[in-house]
Each structure stands twice: as C-alpha cells, then as structure tokens.
Amino acid sequence: MTASAENPLRVVVWGENRHEQLEPHVAELYPDGMHNAIKAGIEENLGQRAVVTTALLDDPDHGLTEERLSQTDVLTWWGHAAHAEVSDEVVERVHRHVLSGMGLVVLHSGHWSKIFQKLMGTTCTLRWRGEHDRELVWTVDPTHPIAQGVPHPIEIPEQEMYGEFFDIPKPDEIIFISSFTGGKVFRSGITFRRGHGKIFYFSPGDQDFPVYHHKDIRRVIANGVEWVATDRPERRIPVLLRYDTGDFFNGQGYQGPLSDEAKANEVPA
Amino acid sequence: MTASAENPLRVVVWGENRHEQLEPHVAELYPDGMHNAIKAGIEENLGQRAVVTTALLDDPDHGLTEERLSQTDVLTWWGHAAHAEVSDEVVERVHRHVLSGMGLVVLHSGHWSKIFQKLMGTTCTLRWRGEHDRELVWTVDPTHPIAQGVPHPIEIPEQEMYGEFFDIPKPDEIIFISSFTGGKVFRSGITFRRGHGKIFYFSPGDQDFPVYHHKDIRRVIANGVEWVATDRPERRIPVLLRYDTGDFFNGQGYQGPLSDEAKANEVPA
Amino acid sequence: MTASAENPLRVVVWGENRHEQLEPHVAELYPDGMHNAIKAGIEENLGQRAVVTTALLDDPDHGLTEERLSQTDVLTWWGHAAHAEVSDEVVERVHRHVLSGMGLVVLHSGHWSKIFQKLMGTTCTLRWRGEHDRELVWTVDPTHPIAQGVPHPIEIPEQEMYGEFFDIPKPDEIIFISSFTGGKVFRSGITFRRGHGKIFYFSPGDQDFPVYHHKDIRRVIANGVEWVATDRPERRIPVLLRYDTGDFFNGQGYQGPLSDEAKANEVPA
Amino acid sequence: MTASAENPLRVVVWGENRHEQLEPHVAELYPDGMHNAIKAGIEENLGQRAVVTTALLDDPDHGLTEERLSQTDVLTWWGHAAHAEVSDEVVERVHRHVLSGMGLVVLHSGHWSKIFQKLMGTTCTLRWRGEHDRELVWTVDPTHPIAQGVPHPIEIPEQEMYGEFFDIPKPDEIIFISSFTGGKVFRSGITFRRGHGKIFYFSPGDQDFPVYHHKDIRRVIANGVEWVATDRPERRIPVLLRYDTGDFFNGQGYQGPLSDEAKANEVPA
C-alpha cells in the first residue's frame, strides 16, 4: 500500500506502559511513555501519510477491540514486563487480524510476547544482557525498502545486548544484523509473511536506554510500518474451500471430513 | 543423524485410525490401518536402519507419553477426521519435543492438525477436492536428500486434490510441487526448521486411495524420516539465558523483567 | 521507488524483434512487434507513472549504450532466436548496471539469454513444448506487490509449455507457479536481488501466442516493473573496501593482495 | 552421500600456493603450504571416509584436468593473490562440474575467485582489514549438519576482518555469522545450490594467521566437505529438453528456436 495524505495509514502503537510507571529512570527517559516516543518517531517520518494513535495494556480490552483492529492498517507491539497479562482472547483477535492482512511491527522485547510466539511457533528465546553495550546495526539487504535512509551501520551508543541463537523460524528476509560490545551478534531486522499479513521484527529499543529517541531507529520503524501495510484491497483470513472440477474461482465451505455413510455409523458423542 | 543397523532410528508412526473403523471402503484399502501401511513403507526402505512402532489416537495419552516421546527420534503424523480430539496437553508435549530436536513428518491432511498449526502459526488452509484426480509430483530441488530415488515426476493415478493458496509460512525448502487433473498446483513436499527440530510436510496420501502402498511415495516418506532425524547429540529446548560481559558459554537463567526497585513498587496481584 | 507522474519511471523495453520479421504468423499476432505490445501493456497499467521506450537487437549497440542505461530505471528483456548475437560487451554493461541498481524484468525465453545466465550462474535450462497448452498461473505469495490485481489463477488459453526442472538458483521469492495442459508445472514468477539491483523473471509470453495482449499478463509485467525499480537514491556497484579499525564509513580502495615485501620478491610478469 | 571407509569421498584441495612462496611469515605459519594444512584438517576429521589430494595453481592445467575433475567428489578452493592467473578454460570446466554435481567448498579470499563470481553472478565484494582482529563465529542454524561438533561461538584469536555488505545472492542457508573486534559482522558460513551441485562458503582462514590449524575451523571445513558431496547417483548437467504431450520421462534435444519456415527465410550468416 502506498500511503498518502489523502489515504493515510492508520497505525496503532501498542504499549505495555509498566516500566514507565514503576521505574523512575525509565520515566525520566520516556516522560510520555515509550509508546508516545515510538508514535512521535513514526509521525516524524511519515508525516501526513500516517494517522498514529496509541493503545495500552491497561485500556479496556488492552485497547484492541474488534472494532479498533478492523480499522487498523498497522499495529506496532512493545511489551516486556507483563507479557503474561495480555489476555488470550486479545491475542487470538490480533492473530486473526494479522493473518487477514493487518501489518505488524514487533519491537525489541516483544520477541517474547504471546502474539509473536503464536505467529512464529517457536520459543523466540535468545541471549541477553543489560549492560550499556554499544550496538551497531549493519544492513545486509541494501535494496530493501526498510533499509533506506539510514547509515551503514547505525550506531546506538548504549543498548541492551541481544544475542544468537534467536529461536525463530528462518526469516523471509534478513535486513539487519547487529553486533554488540563484546562480540555478540543478532539478526536484528527481519521480515515474515503469515497468512495475508506482513510482519517486521526490529530488536533495537529498550526501556533503560533512549533508543526510541534515536533518529535512525525511528526511521527504520517508520519504514517498517510502511512496508508491512498490505497491498491487498480487502482484509480476509485464508479459509479451507472445496473446488469442483473445472471451478477455479468459487469454492464451497468445508462440510466436514467424513462421508455421510461414516457419519451415520458414528456413535454420537 | 546417519542411522545404521547398530544405531537405528526410533520412529513412531502416529495414526488417527478412524476412517479405517468407520468407512468400509477405507478398511478395504488399508486392512491393517493406514498407520501400518506407512510403517511398512518406512521399513521397506530403511530396513535395519530404523525401528518403527505405531501410536494411535485411541491409545492412552494418544500413545504419546513423555516417556515415549523422549525415546523417539522421528514422529510421523496422519490425522483428518478427529483433529479436535487430540488433547491440547499432548499437542504441547509434541511441540516441546519438536523444538527440542525430535524430527516430525506431517502427512497429507495432517496439514490441519493442531500440532502443525501450532508450529506454523498460520491457518494451514488450502483448496481441495476428493474426485479421483491424477497427481504428478515434480522435483524442483534435485540435490535434496529427500528427492533421491524417485522418478521425475512421481505419478499417482488417483488422489485427493490439494491446491494453492496453501496458508503456510514460506518453507525453508520446496522440494516437490504437484499438479492435479484440471490444473491445480500445490507445494507438496516442503521443509521447515523450528527450534532444534526439523519438519517435513508431504501431501500425497489419502484414506480414499491406495497412496501409501505406492512405492515412490513410500520412498519419499522414508527419505523424509531420515532427513528430519536430528544431527544434534542431545535433546534440549532453546531457553532464554543472560550472559555476562565476557561470558560466551555459560549464561544464567532468566530472573524476570523488572529491576528489584520496580518489583518493590509493584502492588501484589 | 514510488513512481509518480512528476517523477516517472524510465523504462526501456528491449526486444529481439526477429520472429516478427521472419515468421508471418508472429507478425500477424504482433504487427508492431512484441516489444511494442509489452510497452503498451506497461503504459496501460502505469499511465503517467512511467515513460516507456524500446530498444532493439538491430539498433547500434543493441540500443543499450552506457548513456542510455545510465538513464534507465528498469529494463525489460525478451530474446529467443538470437541470444548468441547479443554482444558480450553489452551483456557486461547491462550486468554492471543491474548490480549498480537498475531494475531488470526478464520475460519468457529471456531465461536463456546471456544476461540472465550471467546473473544466475546456472544453465537456466528447462523443459518445454510449443503445442497450444493452456497455462494456469497460480499465486503462492498473495501479499506480494507483484501479485496484486490479477485473478487466482490467471488463465492463458494457449501458451508454450515450460516445465521443471528449471535450473536456477533458489529464488528469493516465488510469487507464481504455473501448470500446463498435461500436468507440467513451472515456477513462473520469481524474484532475485543481485548487488544493488532487483530482478523479476516472469515466464508467460511467447511469439506464437497473443500472450502479451492478455490483460492480466500485462498487469503482472507492469507490477514487476514497479517492483524492480530501486529505492536507493544512487546507482553504484558494490566495491571492495578496506576499513581501518574504528572507521565505519569511509574505507579505502583495494591496493592488491600482497605485502610490499612479497611484491618486491615477485619476478615481474 | 554418506561416505564410508569402503566408499570414501574423493576430495581435491586446490591451493594457489603463492603467499607461502613469496612471504616468509606465511611460510613459517604454513611450512607445507596452506593446502596441506587444509588437507590435514579434513583427514583429521573424516579419517577413512575421505581420500584427500591437492592441486596447485602452478600444476599443468592448475591440476584440474577433465579427467581429474570427473573423479572428484568435492573440490575445495583457496586463492587470493593470483585469481587473475586462473585460466578461463579451467574456470569453465570447474563451473560445468559443479553444475553437474561436484561439491564445492570455497574458503576465505576464494570469495573473489573467478569460479565463485561466475557461480554467484555478483561482484562478491566485501569490507576487509588485516589487523589481528579477534573473530567470533556464531551458529544461527543449530540443526544444520555443518554446525555440528563446534562450540558456540568458535573463537579465533587473530584473523583478517571481513565485513558486510557482502555482495552475494541471498544464501540458501546462513549457518554462521561472525563478529570481529571493532564490531564488524559477516555472514561467514553460507550454502548455495547451483544446478546439481552444492556449495559451501566459509570465510575464516587467512595466510597471515594460523587459522587452518584451528581445531574447530578444521571441523567445520570437514563438515562442509561431507555436506556438499552430492546424493545423486550420476554426474550430469541440466539440459534443455523438449517433451511431447504425454511424455514425462524422455524428452528430446533442442533443435533451435526458429520454425523451419523462418529458417528458410533467414539470410545465412
């Protein structure tokens, strides 16, 4: 989707907003919450091509009702301390919307969120350390739209370290690989397509460091928001359909796995 | 893992075994059940390099206890009519074992099983028709070990049709693409790596047709069983570990996301 | 690159233009040459977002001078009867421009052109038959921009058959898979990134059939033209650079592989 | 191919053998030449499962005659100072054998060899520095056979630095990613399939450091040698074949692109 001022992307920045409430040093870095820093970074880059709002864990339904999601082109996700508090019902709803075509940008410790784990099918575990390491973000896919407009490498003076092995499926694309003080490496910018939805995972960003105020990081997140926005004209989840011989375009809903004969033989449950 | 007569693969063929009980025409094609036909095909090809047993939906714990799985190198999965009857607990157990290194071969309508959906993160839906279509299985990755020893194409005189769009993540490898009478196509032999485990999905095979008696199909399944068997010396799930600066090899278990300060501020739940 | 009327894509449609001169039935199908049918299809879909010109084998330098290429955003390539007549010098020039960022769309029998073989590194051979087979083009990557706006499947009433095994590197993306009367299959719409350039190969299209007049095929080619256009601001080939410790952004040109000491020892050639 | 003492892999280690002759400090590190250190490392790991010989740039035909290559299962390639001296004829011959099924392991500065460039289709350029940097080799594909038996990470105390962007096609598999003192990263262990051949590129190894005496590096190279050995029973290059309707298995050689009618019209060249 090519966003424009006439037809802007509808972006929802989801934030857990707990560290900012519980830890004074985080509140100092992000006085309006990390979600608002992320929001500002998207607005700064996309301007009138996006209308950005926020939704928080403590909002009713975590701010992610069916109605809200159905009017969302791209959702960004940051969570850490309270992954377990996200309701399974909302996770199912977000999952369904992603498979139906809503774009998803997963940020930093969102790697361990329920929604990312559900989409990946793996543990999404990694190695980490919060020790003021320098991170360098190197581009390995220089023609990718998400890699445009940032230096090679992006330098982040202080950041939490994330290291391999990162237990994810093989990404569709690896755009960035990071190194950290001490020599750890991490596939830090990666894409996945799931159902009719596109996903961008980007690891830089932590509550303890001002990473979401970093100009280049904000640009990458904005690039990612634009890239995950679907080009498809409609939102629809893939379904099982039976096609008669010679029918290419209509299909019929699924009627169950057993023949009528077998169903008659079955003892009712 | 290179299996040998001294160190054979321990293979469990899991079968739903319902169609064979409920539908006389299936019982006629598979008088010992589809699971035993699949088992025979693996034995026919791997000989003493494999020890093959079966486990069934109606066995206690579906035959898949923790003890059994911990002694299983490769699990094959065929289900169709009763996906919903597979207990979530067993699905979690199998999932954990796959991520820990157990090989998994998913067959035909197993594409819609709970375990495959959980590993893929997508709907795993497709197009289908059970109308005696001819299937041709073409090799598009001729150097892959799974593609060895079979003609190009494999001809299956009668088979259920499966067609695209098949809602799965981008496979790590596409080995086979099938066409069917009428012109539908399907990515019919594909691999995925998840956690420490390897997965092969192979679509040919249906209760209504004698596909599991087909020599070439049996060879591919046996090739797949050998390929998914892990080369790793131990079974272990990936975990989250904290590494101190300068520590590459030990790591520490995860202590939770919040600083001590923040934890003290939290109101107990 | 998002093309616009203010900043249109500069597209060159390259045509061999021999069949049209030598074979009356081709001239009848394509009275203005296949190149002009391809050009019209791009214009029909991109409108003012593209400025399309043509270049022909029999033009001086095959119409592909350094100056022309340096002002070309996207080149499309159709060749068949006269691959061998394309000069190696022009092939080197096009290759350099692709690696520097020029987009390339390779059509149909262009699979066996010198430029495609040079970019792929393989034989690019396949199976074929020119017998009025019906081709169905199925989308297997429904979120890809190139797949937008066309039915699933695209039906081509008569077309040359192309079949697997197609000897190419594993594509970055497989967007379309085709089937043909008789059951052959082919990876018919695929992408590759090479250097700073993006490549789309699309197989439908033959001199013996009116495929380049087909509305959906024209749409896919136009989508491909937009997709291969680079997002990078400059055209530059990747080069070998030496970076001093602590230097991330400048680098120095390569001075040769041997130490001064060794060079002094070398006997002059 | 599963090698055994009865049916060992026939491995040829190709070496340029110039630095060892021209630079005393290299001769000191590798008194028998780097090629013999590489050979010893393969033998140390594969034992009787491989028969390893060497071939050198200054041998007649660079030691790579048609006869020699036809009896070679796996070729390893190390070159640096004298890429340009390798004859195009030998490069064509090796290329043909790789596409026909011979395995190829390309080592370190072999990234810029004629044969690797020809197989990749790109410039194969990168960033570099020879300054005694420490290299850490991290496994990102822990189930891959090539990653077995080595620590995570492999530590190389001193090594030439190679950094991204590495201008190669997207690898089929990324097994290792390295970091270097100063923070550069590199996709250091990668695989490609081309034609009927398998290729492993592994970057650690330099004439100025004793990397080929490093136990873990030797293990990875040996693993790579086993992995690239083909499973196919015959060596054959993919060819263009015409298949009649209903013919799946025979095909006919290519008769040229033009109809008889058109050929008659052509003016002889």
Side-chain angles (χ1 to χ4, degrees):
Chain A
M1 168 174 175
T2 305
S4 63
E6 295 73 41
N7 192 21
L9 284 179
R10 298 164 300 175
V11 182
V12 173
V13 172
W14 191 86
E16 185 185 275
N17 195 32
R18 286 288 165 85
H19 288 279
E20 301 91 321
Q21 307 302 320
L22 294 167
E23 298 183 291
H25 71 279
V26 179
E28 197 173 324
L29 285 172
Y30 296 104
D32 300 319
M34 270 181 287
H35 48 284
N36 277 313
I38 294 166
K39 174 176 183 286
I42 298 169
E43 292 171 334
E44 164 184 303
N45 282 283
L46 300 191
Q48 294 188 305
R49 299 204 305 280
V51 172
V52 189
T53 57
T54 62
L56 301 177
L57 176 63
D58 289 331
D59 291 346
D61 269 305
H62 311 323
L64 301 174
T65 59
E66 179 63 30
E67 191 187 356
R68 180 84 176 276
L69 290 175
S70 70
Q71 295 167 8
T72 299
D73 296 312
V74 175
L75 178 68
T76 76
W77 194 277
W78 195 102
H80 181 227
H83 289 319
E85 294 180 43
V86 177
S87 87
D88 291 341
E89 188 188 342
V90 169
V91 172
E92 289 292 332
R93 195 183 296 151
V94 173
H95 186 249
R96 180 166 37 80
H97 275 276
V98 172
L99 298 189
S100 302
M102 183 178 70
L104 181 68
V105 175
V106 176
L107 295 170
H108 193 59
S109 42
H111 74 90
W112 223 21
S113 62
K114 288 181 179 178
I115 182 61
F116 193 61
Q117 287 181 318
K118 187 172 179 68
L119 284 160
M120 297 293 105
T122 58
T123 68
C124 302
T125 54
L126 45 75
R127 296 176 165 199
W128 68 283
R129 170 175 68 233
E131 293 290 351
H132 304 260
D133 290 311
R134 181 194 64 181
E135 177 174 359
L136 298 173
V137 185
W138 300 93
T139 297
V140 297
D141 190 351
T143 65
H144 202 286
I146 293 180
Q148 302 313 306
V150 293
H152 175 70
I154 300 170
E155 296 183 84
I156 307 174
E158 291 189 316
Q159 162 70 327
E160 186 181 26
M161 182 282 285
Y162 274 11
E164 297 283 346
F165 174 63
F166 184 19
D167 178 25
I168 46 167
K170 183 179 178 175
D172 290 8
E173 297 164 311
I174 301 177
I175 304 170
F176 301 113
I177 296 176
S178 289
S179 71
F180 296 84
T181 313
K184 288 279 196 309
V185 300
F186 195 67
R187 291 169 289 175
S188 51
I190 50 186
T191 71
F192 302 92
R193 292 164 189 247
R194 292 293 183 270
H196 290 149
K198 294 160 79 178
I199 302 165
F200 174 53
Y201 173 75
F202 188 53
S203 65
D206 188 76
Q207 71 278 0
D208 290 334
F209 306 104
V211 182
Y212 291 122
H213 300 307
H214 190 298
K215 181 172 69 75
D216 299 328
I217 299 307
R218 289 160 83 121
R219 172 67 188 264
V220 171
I221 294 171
N223 287 348
V225 163
E226 281 206 294
W227 185 84
V228 300
T230 189
D231 293 288
R232 294 173 59 85
E234 60 183 359
R235 181 164 300 181
R236 192 168 55 179
I237 199 162
V239 292
L240 198 71
L241 285 175
R242 187 189 187 288
Y243 279 74
D244 285 333
T245 306
D247 171 22
F248 294 148
F249 298 113
N250 299 298
Q252 307 154 24
Y254 187 58
Q255 306 287 329
L258 286 170
S259 63
D260 293 342
E261 170 195 25
K263 284 176 199 160
N265 289 342
E266 273 199 303
V267 179
Chain B
M1 168 175 177
T2 305
S4 63
E6 296 72 41
N7 192 22
L9 284 179
R10 300 163 299 175
V11 183
V12 173
V13 172
W14 191 84
E16 183 184 276
N17 196 33
R18 285 290 164 83
H19 288 278
E20 301 92 320
Q21 307 301 319
L22 293 166
E23 298 183 292
H25 71 278
V26 178
E28 197 173 321
L29 285 172
Y30 295 106
D32 300 320
M34 270 182 288
H35 48 283
N36 277 313
I38 294 165
K39 174 176 183 283
I42 298 168
E43 292 171 334
E44 166 185 302
N45 281 284
L46 301 191
Q48 294 188 305
R49 300 203 304 280
V51 172
V52 189
T53 57
T54 62
L56 301 178
L57 176 62
D58 290 331
D59 291 347
D61 269 304
H62 312 323
L64 301 174
T65 60
E66 178 64 31
E67 192 186 355
R68 180 85 176 276
L69 289 175
S70 69
Q71 296 168 9
T72 299
D73 297 311
V74 176
L75 178 67
T76 76
W77 195 277
W78 195 101
H80 180 228
H83 289 318
E85 294 182 42
V86 177
S87 87
D88 291 341
E89 187 188 341
V90 169
V91 172
E92 290 292 332
R93 195 183 294 152
V94 173
H95 186 249
R96 180 167 38 80
H97 275 277
V98 172
L99 297 189
S100 302
M102 182 178 72
L104 180 69
V105 175
V106 175
L107 296 169
H108 193 58
S109 40
H111 74 89
W112 223 21
S113 62
K114 288 181 179 179
I115 181 61
F116 193 61
Q117 288 180 318
K118 187 174 180 66
L119 284 160
M120 297 293 105
T122 57
T123 67
C124 302
T125 53
L126 45 75
R127 295 175 166 201
W128 68 284
R129 168 174 70 232
E131 293 290 352
H132 304 261
D133 290 311
R134 181 194 64 179
E135 177 174 358
L136 299 174
V137 185
W138 300 93
T139 297
V140 297
D141 190 352
T143 64
H144 202 286
I146 294 180
Q148 303 312 307
V150 293
H152 175 69
I154 300 170
E155 297 181 81
I156 308 174
E158 291 189 316
Q159 162 70 328
E160 186 181 27
M161 182 281 285
Y162 274 10
E164 298 282 345
F165 174 62
F166 183 20
D167 178 24
I168 47 168
K170 183 179 178 176
D172 291 8
E173 298 164 311
I174 302 177
I175 304 170
F176 302 114
I177 295 175
S178 288
S179 70
F180 295 84
T181 314
K184 288 280 197 307
V185 300
F186 195 68
R187 291 169 289 174
S188 52
I190 51 186
T191 72
F192 303 91
R193 293 165 188 246
R194 291 293 182 269
H196 291 149
K198 292 160 78 180
I199 302 165
F200 175 52
Y201 173 76
F202 189 51
S203 65
D206 188 77
Q207 71 277 0
D208 290 333
F209 307 103
V211 182
Y212 291 122
H213 299 307
H214 189 299
K215 182 172 68 74
D216 300 328
I217 299 306
R218 289 159 83 122
R219 173 67 187 265
V220 171
I221 293 171
N223 287 348
V225 163
E226 281 207 293
W227 186 84
V228 299
T230 189
D231 293 288
R232 294 174 59 86
E234 59 184 359
R235 182 164 302 181
R236 191 168 55 180
I237 199 162
V239 292
L240 197 72
L241 285 175
R242 187 189 187 289
Y243 279 75
D244 285 333
T245 305
D247 171 21
F248 294 148
F249 299 112
N250 300 298
Q252 307 154 25
Y254 186 60
Q255 306 286 330
L258 286 170
S259 63
D260 293 342
E261 170 196 23
K263 282 176 200 160
N265 289 343
E266 273 199 302
V267 180
Chain C
M1 166 175 179
T2 304
S4 64
E6 294 73 40
N7 192 22
L9 285 178
R10 298 163 300 175
V11 183
V12 172
V13 173
W14 191 85
E16 183 185 277
N17 195 33
R18 287 290 166 84
H19 289 279
E20 301 92 320
Q21 307 302 321
L22 294 167
E23 299 183 290
H25 70 279
V26 179
E28 196 173 327
L29 285 171
Y30 296 104
D32 300 320
M34 272 183 285
H35 48 284
N36 277 312
I38 294 165
K39 174 176 182 285
I42 297 169
E43 292 172 333
E44 165 185 302
N45 281 282
L46 301 191
Q48 295 189 303
R49 298 203 305 281
V51 172
V52 189
T53 57
T54 62
L56 301 178
L57 176 62
D58 289 331
D59 290 347
D61 269 306
H62 311 323
L64 301 174
T65 60
E66 179 64 31
E67 191 186 357
R68 180 86 177 273
L69 290 175
S70 69
Q71 295 168 10
T72 299
D73 296 312
V74 175
L75 178 68
T76 76
W77 193 277
W78 195 101
H80 181 227
H83 289 319
E85 293 181 43
V86 177
S87 86
D88 290 342
E89 187 188 341
V90 169
V91 171
E92 289 293 331
R93 194 182 297 152
V94 172
H95 186 249
R96 179 166 39 79
H97 274 276
V98 172
L99 298 189
S100 302
M102 183 179 69
L104 181 68
V105 174
V106 176
L107 296 170
H108 193 59
S109 40
H111 73 90
W112 223 22
S113 62
K114 288 182 180 178
I115 182 61
F116 193 61
Q117 287 181 319
K118 186 173 180 68
L119 284 161
M120 297 293 105
T122 57
T123 68
C124 303
T125 53
L126 45 75
R127 296 176 165 199
W128 68 284
R129 170 175 68 234
E131 293 290 352
H132 305 259
D133 289 312
R134 180 193 65 181
E135 177 173 358
L136 298 173
V137 185
W138 299 93
T139 297
V140 297
D141 191 350
T143 65
H144 202 286
I146 293 180
Q148 303 312 307
V150 293
H152 176 70
I154 300 169
E155 296 182 84
I156 306 174
E158 292 189 315
Q159 162 70 326
E160 186 181 27
M161 182 281 285
Y162 275 10
E164 297 283 346
F165 174 62
F166 184 19
D167 177 25
I168 46 167
K170 183 179 179 176
D172 291 9
E173 298 164 311
I174 301 177
I175 304 170
F176 301 114
I177 296 175
S178 289
S179 71
F180 295 83
T181 314
K184 288 281 195 309
V185 300
F186 195 68
R187 291 169 288 174
S188 51
I190 51 187
T191 70
F192 303 91
R193 293 165 189 246
R194 291 294 182 271
H196 290 150
K198 294 160 77 179
I199 302 165
F200 175 53
Y201 173 75
F202 188 52
S203 65
D206 188 76
Q207 71 278 0
D208 290 333
F209 306 104
V211 182
Y212 292 122
H213 299 306
H214 189 299
K215 181 171 69 73
D216 300 328
I217 298 308
R218 289 160 81 121
R219 173 67 188 264
V220 170
I221 294 171
N223 287 347
V225 163
E226 282 207 292
W227 186 83
V228 300
T230 190
D231 292 289
R232 295 174 59 85
E234 60 183 358
R235 181 164 300 179
R236 192 169 54 181
I237 199 160
V239 291
L240 197 72
L241 286 175
R242 188 189 186 286
Y243 279 75
D244 284 332
T245 305
D247 170 22
F248 294 148
F249 298 111
N250 300 298
Q252 307 153 23
Y254 187 59
Q255 305 288 328
L258 285 170
S259 63
D260 293 342
E261 168 195 27
K263 283 177 200 159
N265 289 341
E266 270 198 304
V267 178
Chain D
M1 169 176 176
T2 304
S4 64
E6 294 74 39
N7 192 23
L9 284 179
R10 299 163 300 175
V11 183
V12 172
V13 173
W14 192 86
E16 183 184 277
N17 195 34
R18 286 288 165 85
H19 289 278
E20 301 92 320
Q21 307 301 319
L22 294 168
E23 299 183 290
H25 71 278
V26 179
E28 197 173 324
L29 285 172
Y30 295 106
D32 300 320
M34 271 182 286
H35 49 284
N36 277 313
I38 294 166
K39 174 177 183 283
I42 298 169
E43 291 172 333
E44 165 185 301
N45 281 283
L46 301 191
Q48 295 188 304
R49 299 203 305 281
V51 172
V52 189
T53 57
T54 61
L56 301 177
L57 176 63
D58 289 331
D59 290 347
D61 271 302
H62 311 323
L64 301 174
T65 60
E66 178 63 31
E67 191 186 357
R68 181 85 176 275
L69 290 175
S70 69
Q71 296 169 9
T72 299
D73 296 312
V74 175
L75 177 67
T76 75
W77 194 276
W78 195 101
H80 180 228
H83 290 318
E85 294 181 42
V86 177
S87 86
D88 291 341
E89 186 188 342
V90 169
V91 172
E92 289 293 331
R93 196 183 294 151
V94 172
H95 186 249
R96 179 166 39 79
H97 274 276
V98 172
L99 298 188
S100 303
M102 183 178 71
L104 180 69
V105 175
V106 176
L107 296 170
H108 192 58
S109 39
H111 74 89
W112 222 22
S113 62
K114 288 181 179 179
I115 181 61
F116 193 61
Q117 288 181 318
K118 187 174 179 65
L119 284 160
M120 297 294 105
T122 57
T123 67
C124 302
T125 54
L126 44 74
R127 296 176 166 200
W128 69 283
R129 169 175 67 233
E131 293 290 351
H132 305 260
D133 290 311
R134 180 194 65 180
E135 177 174 0
L136 299 173
V137 185
W138 299 93
T139 298
V140 297
D141 190 352
T143 65
H144 201 286
I146 293 179
Q148 303 311 308
V150 293
H152 176 70
I154 300 170
E155 296 182 81
I156 307 174
E158 292 189 315
Q159 163 69 328
E160 186 182 25
M161 181 280 285
Y162 274 10
E164 298 282 346
F165 172 62
F166 184 19
D167 178 25
I168 47 168
K170 184 179 178 177
D172 291 9
E173 299 164 311
I174 301 177
I175 304 170
F176 301 114
I177 295 175
S178 289
S179 70
F180 296 83
T181 314
K184 288 279 196 309
V185 300
F186 195 68
R187 290 168 291 173
S188 51
I190 50 186
T191 71
F192 302 92
R193 293 165 188 246
R194 291 293 182 272
H196 291 149
K198 294 160 77 179
I199 302 164
F200 175 52
Y201 173 76
F202 188 53
S203 64
D206 187 77
Q207 72 278 0
D208 290 334
F209 306 103
V211 182
Y212 292 123
H213 299 306
H214 190 298
K215 181 172 69 73
D216 300 328
I217 299 306
R218 289 160 83 121
R219 173 66 187 266
V220 171
I221 294 171
N223 287 348
V225 163
E226 282 207 293
W227 186 84
V228 299
T230 190
D231 292 288
R232 295 173 60 86
E234 59 183 0
R235 180 163 302 180
R236 194 170 52 181
I237 199 161
V239 291
L240 197 72
L241 286 175
R242 187 190 187 286
Y243 280 74
D244 285 331
T245 305
D247 171 22
F248 294 148
F249 299 113
N250 300 299
Q252 307 153 24
Y254 186 58
Q255 305 288 328
L258 287 170
S259 62
D260 293 341
E261 169 196 25
K263 283 176 200 159
N265 289 342
E266 273 199 302
V267 179

